[in-house]
């Protein structure tokens, strides 16, 4: 029998150990204790956030499946559905960057095809420490290589994402992976157990000792000994995953499967418990029948292994032979390891002895904590920010900042063209991919601005949703739903817990106002080292539909010369909490820009209409760096200069303010009056600010002073940071 000291080693508190004893009516053995520790970990149970996550909006007429399954599902019409989710692999990627990132990609893809969908697009959101930190280059190189190595090998394009740097992530980087798949809405599979005596089947790769304690490791803070946790990082094999993907999809077409679940966090433990819990059933497993690749594996090790490329399924009795033949064809293990029971317990046998017997209910439902939280008094003070700087020097400095420099070094390592349906490329506002065999496309984006969240978690989280909404609208899509990945520090810290609560509130407000329900998500807590938490990072992934792919609008015009540039939205020059304030003036405090949700909705619908009516040749939203950075990116992607005229007396605030609800669009002369009139009729601010022309970025101020900088110079500055930075280790 076990002791409290063993429970603490597995991440359980003394009080939790006592609750286990009460649930069992006895002390657990080591296997049972390990099962409880995994299922009651923050990573699996969401015990600190469950209460608050229930406040999120999760339903809409187009939502087929909301939170609670492997992924969310939304109706795309014509019998098709999109399946998508975002998850974290933060701790593993810090400990072992290549395998941590690679298995993060593999894990999120399994969540998608577990539900019967074929993955069609990957995205990733990466947050690294300061470029000057001793580990950053190593972590950056390893993570990017891991993402590319796995995604490229399995043949799913990586079409978008984010990458930023901040010293707040020095001790805990964030690697959030998102996958989108397409499925016939009448052929969606769920994690369920079915009827008693239905065969429980293990498929895929063999079980090893990699990843043991992965769930509990992901639910604890780092310290100086964290490097020793390397054995808890899983090892991925994308080629086996490709075989598993095809085998599962083939079996799904035969109607053999009752329920199916990916073996992710906590491996065989979580998959079996979750399936049984869905139908109020029990599970019996003979551990001697689980295929292993290492000798003398204990029941504890088999149940808690997080070896990759494995699935657990329940099949209809009598279909065993048919199912086995399919997996034999794909050269994968197919083992009947147990059955569904009516005991409502999970019972494990090894060497003809019962080694665990636990009620399913306390494992599946876990614990719900109402953590202490202290209201945060966010500053409303206006921070004085110097606006006397030269706009040219400010622009060039910003373009050389890691957060705003070109990310081509990253995405050129990802195959974004495989499958041949990608039309919106990495580096764009949203990735866009055609639904194969149809005239539809889906748009996907990921967004979060941690510096906003650090200064006002509610407003920052709200802005993350709003920006994702704008990015989807900018390519001509109708935003439909989001998935989130909530990355925070220690929830036992009342300040951090309040950041979590405020962020969830901000997400909820925005999603309700914009009719974008939360259909899936992930929570990653204890992202701290030696008591230092990461900046609050509620990462948002959003999906929209383009009903006619011919109405897709790029972020730059295909024939840019002499195109009109129109600014949509009101510009007040909000510099507080901007990247200009942070990088030029070294001011990190301040109030994020205010958000008017009704205006965001109104302006977004207006942009969608312009795209649908084919009035515009390009569109992009304004976010980090405001108008100045958006115009620069427009020019560089269009390979042409611009001539801009400002009516604002403060050129710095006009160029670099981060006011929300704004877009820049381009159009030909023939459509200009139509756009302006349409905007006026809808009481929408629309101002012609210049044209795409020449070879310079040229600005005429209100004082009639004109200054310019060559596009070639701006391109050279923006494109070289990564190459220079990473060359040091190559």
């Amino acid at each position: 029998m076990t002791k409290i000291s063993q429970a603490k080693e597995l991440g359980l508190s003394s009080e939790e150990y006592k609750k286990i004893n009460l649930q069992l009516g006895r002390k657990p053995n080591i296997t049972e204790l390990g099962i409880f520790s995994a299922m009651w970990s923050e990573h699996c149970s969401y015990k600190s956030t469950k209460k608050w996550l229930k406040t999120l909006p999760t339903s809409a007429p187009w939502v087929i499946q909301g939170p609670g399954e492997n992924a969310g599902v939304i109706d795309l019409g014509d019998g098709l559905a999109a399946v998508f989710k975002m998850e974290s692999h933060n701790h593993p990627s810090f400990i072992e960057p290549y395998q941590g990132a690679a298995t993060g990609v593999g894990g999120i893809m399994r969540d998608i095809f577990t539900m019967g969908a074929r993955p069609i697009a990957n995205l990733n959101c990466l947050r690294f420490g300061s470029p000057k930190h001793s580990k950053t280059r190593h972590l950056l190189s390893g993570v990017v290589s891991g993402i590319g190595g796995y995604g490229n090998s399995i043949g799913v394009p990586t079409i978008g994402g984010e990458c930023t740097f901040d010293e707040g992530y020095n001790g805990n980087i964030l690697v959030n992976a998102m996958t989108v798949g397409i499925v016939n809405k009448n052929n969606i599979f769920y994690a369920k157990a079915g009827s008693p005596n239905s065969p429980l089947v293990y498929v895929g790769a063999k079980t090893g000792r990699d990843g043991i304690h992965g769930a509990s490791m992901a639910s604890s803070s780092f310290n100086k000994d964290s490097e020793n946790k390397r054995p808890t990082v899983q090892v991925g094999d994308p080629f086996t995953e490709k075989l598993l993907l095809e085998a599962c999809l083939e079996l799904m077409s035969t109607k053999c499967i009752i329920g199916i679940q990916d073996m992710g966090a906590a491996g065989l433990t979580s998959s079996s418990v979750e399936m049984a819990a869905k139908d109020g059933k029990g599970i019996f497993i003979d551990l001697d029948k689980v295929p292993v690749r290492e000798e003398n594996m204990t029941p504890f090790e088999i149940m808690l292994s997080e070896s990759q490329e494995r699935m657990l399924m329940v099949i209809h009795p009598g279909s065993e032979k048919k199912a086995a033949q399919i997996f034999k064809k794909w050269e994968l293990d197919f083992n009947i390891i147990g059955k569904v029971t009516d005991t409502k317990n999970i019972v494990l046998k090894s060497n003809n002895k019962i080694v665990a017997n636990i009620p399913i209910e306390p494992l599946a439902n876990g614990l719900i904590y109402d953590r202490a939280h202290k209201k945060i008094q966010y500053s409303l003070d206006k921070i004085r920010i110097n606006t006397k700087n030269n706009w040219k020097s400010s622009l060039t400095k910003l373009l050389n900042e890691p957060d705003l420099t070109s990310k081509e070094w990253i995405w050129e390592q990802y195959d974004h063209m495989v499958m041949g349906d990608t039309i919106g490329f990495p580096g764009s506002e949203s990735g866009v991919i055609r639904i194969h065999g149809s005239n539809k496309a889906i748009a996907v984006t990921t967004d979060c601005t941690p510096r906003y969240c650090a200064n006002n978690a509610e407003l920052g989280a709200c802005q993350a949703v709003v920006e994702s909404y704008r990015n989807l609208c900018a390519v001509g899509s109708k935003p439909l739903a989001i998935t989130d990945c909530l990355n925070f520090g220690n929830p036992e810290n009342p300040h951090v817990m309040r950041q979590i609560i405020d962020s969830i509130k901000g997400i909820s407000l925005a999603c309700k106002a914009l009719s974008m329900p939360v259909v899936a998500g992930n929570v990653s807590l204890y992202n701290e080292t030696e008591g230092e938490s990461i900046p609050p990072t509620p990462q948002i992934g959003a999906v929209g539909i383009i009903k006619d792919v011919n109405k897709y609008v790029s972020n730059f015009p295909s024939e840019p010369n002499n195109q009109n540039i129109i600014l949509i939205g009101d510009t007040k020059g909000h510099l507080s909490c901007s990247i200009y304030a942070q990088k030029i003036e070294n001011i990190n405090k301040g109030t994020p820009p205010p958000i008017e949700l009704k205006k965001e909705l109104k302006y977004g619908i207006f942009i969608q209409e312009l795209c649908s009516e084919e009035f515009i040749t390009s569109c992009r939203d304004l976010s980090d760096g405001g108008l100045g950075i958006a115009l620069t990116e427009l020019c560089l992607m269009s390979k042409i200069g611009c001539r801009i005229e400002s009516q604002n007396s403060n050129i710095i605030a006009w160029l670099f303010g981060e006011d929300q609800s704004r877009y820049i669009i381009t159009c030909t002369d023939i459509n200009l009056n139509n756009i302006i009139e349409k905007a006026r009729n809808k009481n929408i601010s629309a101002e012609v600010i210049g044209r795409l022309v020449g070879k310079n970025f040229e600005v005429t101020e209100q004082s009639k002073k004109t200054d310019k900088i060559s596009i070639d110079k701006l391109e050279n500055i923006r494109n070289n940071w990564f190459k220079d930075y990473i060359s040091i280790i190559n």
Side-chain angles (χ1 to χ4, degrees):
M1 292 298 102
T2 54
K3 302 177 180 178
I4 288 182
S5 59
Q6 293 172 296
K8 289 183 176 180
E9 288 176 4
L10 293 173
L12 292 162
S13 68
S14 300
E15 191 60 36
E16 288 170 344
Y17 183 67
K18 292 176 183 176
K19 288 181 179 179
I20 294 170
N21 291 340
L22 288 172
Q23 290 288 348
L24 297 177
R26 56 178 171 82
K27 289 185 177 182
N29 62 39
I30 190 62
T31 301
E32 293 169 328
L33 187 65
I35 289 170
F36 269 106
S37 75
M39 294 305 298
W40 284 8
S41 69
E42 197 73 63
H43 192 73
C44 291
S45 73
Y46 294 1
K47 57 191 177 187
S48 296
T49 55
K50 198 178 291 183
K51 171 183 175 179
W52 304 101
L53 293 172
K54 292 179 179 179
T55 64
L56 291 169
T58 59
S59 61
W62 52 89
V63 174
I64 297 174
Q65 176 63 54
E69 273 290 338
N70 286 289
V73 187
I74 56 174
D75 195 336
L76 299 177
D78 299 325
L80 297 174
V83 181
F84 62 98
K85 188 182 182 183
M86 181 187 293
E87 280 200 341
S88 62
H89 232 222
N90 303 333
H91 284 38
S93 299
F94 185 83
I95 295 169
E96 214 308 298
Y98 184 95
Q99 290 296 348
T103 52
V105 174
I108 192 62
M109 280 198 284
R110 287 195 301 278
D111 280 340
I112 302 309
F113 71 77
T114 297
M115 300 196 70
R118 179 172 290 279
I120 64 168
N122 289 329
L123 299 92
N124 54 80
C125 310
L126 312 177
R127 310 284 177 187
F128 294 102
S130 166
K132 297 177 181 179
H133 191 266
S134 59
K135 285 190 174 182
T136 299
R137 284 189 181 87
H138 164 70
L139 293 170
L140 170 66
S141 178
V143 165
V144 171
S145 296
I147 292 170
Y150 205 103
N152 295 351
S153 297
I154 202 172
V156 177
T158 299
I159 65 171
E162 293 184 282
C163 178
T164 62
F165 299 81
D166 186 277
E167 64 182 9
Y169 302 102
N170 283 350
N172 284 86
I173 65 172
L174 301 185
V175 177
N176 295 174
M178 180 178 176
T179 297
V180 184
I182 298 295
V183 66
N184 184 309
K185 72 176 185 179
N186 296 318
N187 200 36
I188 300 169
F189 287 81
Y190 300 94
K192 57 184 182 179
S195 304
N197 295 314
S198 298
L200 185 69
V201 181
Y202 173 119
V203 299
K206 290 180 170 59
T207 295
R209 289 188 170 94
D210 53 316
I212 295 172
H213 301 306
S216 56
M217 179 269 291
S219 306
S220 61
S221 302
F222 280 161
N223 55 41
K224 61 183 180 181
D225 298 320
S226 293
E227 291 288 337
N228 299 326
K229 295 182 179 179
R230 207 172 289 273
T232 63
V233 178
Q234 310 92 326
V235 178
D237 179 358
F239 302 105
T240 298
E241 177 124 330
K242 175 62 173 175
L243 298 176
L244 184 62
L245 162 65
E246 299 300 340
C248 285
L249 293 182
E250 183 175 341
L251 184 60
M252 287 167 172
S253 69
T254 67
K255 310 299 182 184
C256 291
I257 298 175
I258 296 174
I260 183 169
Q261 177 73 20
D262 161 43
M263 291 193 216
L268 187 53
T269 289
S270 61
S271 56
S272 57
V273 168
E274 289 169 7
M275 292 176 77
K278 290 287 175 63
D279 283 337
K281 298 295 189 298
I283 288 284
F284 169 79
I285 301 175
D286 185 346
L287 295 177
D288 296 335
K289 295 181 178 180
V290 175
V292 296
R293 64 171 185 260
E294 299 182 51
E295 294 181 355
N296 301 317
M297 289 189 69
T298 65
F300 178 99
E301 292 172 326
I302 293 171
M303 289 302 295
L304 296 184
S305 167
E306 294 184 8
S307 294
Q308 298 292 284
E309 295 88 38
R310 303 179 300 158
M311 292 283 189
L312 189 68
M313 58 179 69
V314 177
I315 61 175
H316 290 286
S319 64
E320 296 90 337
K321 185 177 179 180
K322 187 176 187 178
Q325 286 175 339
I326 290 173
F327 278 83
K328 183 179 179 180
K329 182 184 82 171
W330 291 100
E331 299 181 346
L332 294 168
D333 278 299
F334 178 95
N335 296 81
I336 299 172
I337 64 170
K339 63 182 180 180
V340 179
T341 70
D342 58 5
T343 65
K344 297 186 178 182
N345 281 21
I346 179 169
V347 179
L348 308 178
K349 187 175 79 170
S350 178
N351 293 321
N352 292 315
K353 295 180 180 178
I354 300 300
V355 295
N357 190 345
I358 309 172
I360 292 285
E361 191 274 334
L363 292 174
N365 294 333
L367 307 169
I368 298 179
Y369 288 149
D370 189 2
R371 301 280 194 193
H373 51 92
K374 186 177 180 181
K375 188 174 182 179
I376 303 171
Q377 296 296 325
Y378 297 114
S379 174
L380 298 176
D381 297 337
K382 291 186 177 180
I383 306 296
R384 286 187 171 272
I385 298 170
N386 178 28
T387 59
K388 303 298 184 183
N389 296 309
N390 176 274
W391 72 261
K392 289 199 307 180
S393 62
S394 297
L395 179 60
T396 55
K397 185 175 180 180
L398 286 174
L399 288 177
N400 199 45
E401 287 293 332
D403 288 2
L404 294 178
T405 193
S406 170
K407 303 302 189 299
E408 186 174 354
W409 178 85
I410 295 176
W411 59 257
E412 70 183 0
Q413 298 184 54
Y414 306 152
D415 190 340
H416 57 273
M417 291 299 296
V418 65
M419 299 175 71
D421 287 314
T422 306
I423 54 178
F425 303 108
S428 302
E429 299 291 89
S430 296
V432 180
I433 193 157
R434 185 194 301 267
I435 300 174
H436 197 76
S438 81
N439 200 40
K440 295 182 177 182
I442 58 171
V444 196
T445 186
T446 58
D447 296 286
C448 186
T449 307
R451 70 177 181 277
Y452 289 176
C453 301
N455 285 287
N456 189 315
E458 181 181 330
L459 193 54
C462 182
Q463 191 274 341
V465 176
V466 163
E467 187 177 346
S468 72
Y469 174 82
R470 290 199 301 267
N471 282 338
L472 294 178
C473 292
V475 296
S477 77
K478 176 179 174 57
L480 292 177
I482 74 163
T483 176
D484 56 34
C485 191
L486 307 181
N487 306 275
F488 291 87
N490 187 344
E492 298 166 53
N493 179 329
H495 181 81
V496 172
M497 191 65 225
R498 188 66 198 202
Q499 288 178 328
I500 297 169
I501 295 168
D502 287 351
S503 293
I504 292 172
K505 183 179 179 181
I507 292 170
S508 183
L509 288 170
C511 287
K512 288 176 181 177
L514 302 174
S515 297
M516 293 173 68
V518 183
V519 299
N522 175 240
V523 174
S524 175
L525 306 182
Y526 295 94
N527 291 290
E528 68 169 27
T529 299
E530 301 291 345
E532 288 291 322
S533 293
I534 62 164
T537 312
Q539 192 70 49
I540 302 298
V543 175
I545 181 72
I546 302 175
K547 292 183 179 180
D548 182 353
V549 72
N550 296 309
K551 303 293 179 68
Y552 158 71
V553 173
S554 174
N555 295 152
F556 61 96
S558 58
E559 298 179 9
N561 194 42
N562 275 317
Q563 295 270 326
N564 297 285
I565 303 172
I566 304 172
L567 173 61
I568 303 293
D570 298 311
T571 298
K572 297 178 181 178
H574 189 100
L575 287 171
S576 179
C577 220
S578 67
I579 199 165
Y580 173 90
Q582 183 185 58
K583 302 299 183 182
I584 304 297
E585 295 299 319
N586 296 313
I587 299 173
N588 291 308
K589 297 295 183 181
T591 305
I595 297 170
E596 297 180 56
L597 290 169
K598 289 183 179 179
K599 181 182 284 189
E600 291 284 359
L601 180 65
K602 178 181 178 179
Y603 279 44
I605 292 173
F606 176 68
I607 292 294
Q608 291 174 54
E609 290 174 353
L610 292 181
C611 295
S612 177
E613 294 165 359
E614 301 182 90
F615 279 176
I616 59 178
T617 55
S618 75
C619 180
R620 61 190 315 118
D621 92 305
L622 273 59
S623 51
D624 274 355
L627 179 61
I629 295 301
L631 283 171
T632 302
E633 291 175 343
L634 172 63
C635 290
L636 295 182
M637 294 177 78
S638 304
K639 308 295 183 184
I640 196 170
C642 66
R643 292 174 184 163
I644 303 299
E645 185 169 343
S646 170
Q647 299 301 319
N648 194 300
S649 60
N650 189 328
I651 191 65
I652 291 293
W654 187 73
L655 277 177
F656 303 116
E658 295 181 7
D659 307 279
Q660 301 294 290
S661 311
R662 296 190 300 160
Y663 304 80
I664 52 171
I665 59 176
T666 59
C667 72
T668 59
D669 289 341
I670 195 169
N671 286 320
L672 178 60
N673 290 335
N674 288 333
I675 294 170
I676 299 300
E677 183 178 358
K678 188 178 181 71
R680 187 184 302 115
N681 291 338
K682 293 180 177 291
N683 195 29
I684 286 173
S685 175
E687 178 188 3
V688 181
I689 60 172
R691 298 179 79 86
L692 286 171
V693 66
K695 297 182 179 180
N696 297 306
F697 188 107
E698 183 176 312
V699 177
T700 299
E701 300 183 39
Q702 191 182 41
S703 63
K704 303 303 179 183
K705 175 187 176 183
T706 299
D707 210 346
K708 60 186 178 183
I709 184 170
S710 76
I711 290 298
D712 287 343
K713 183 177 180 179
L714 293 178
E715 184 173 33
N716 186 59
I717 294 170
R718 186 172 180 267
N719 289 352
N720 284 340
W721 186 90
F722 259 102
K723 295 175 183 177
D724 294 343
Y725 180 72
I726 212 68
S727 65
I728 296 176
I729 63 172
N730 288 341

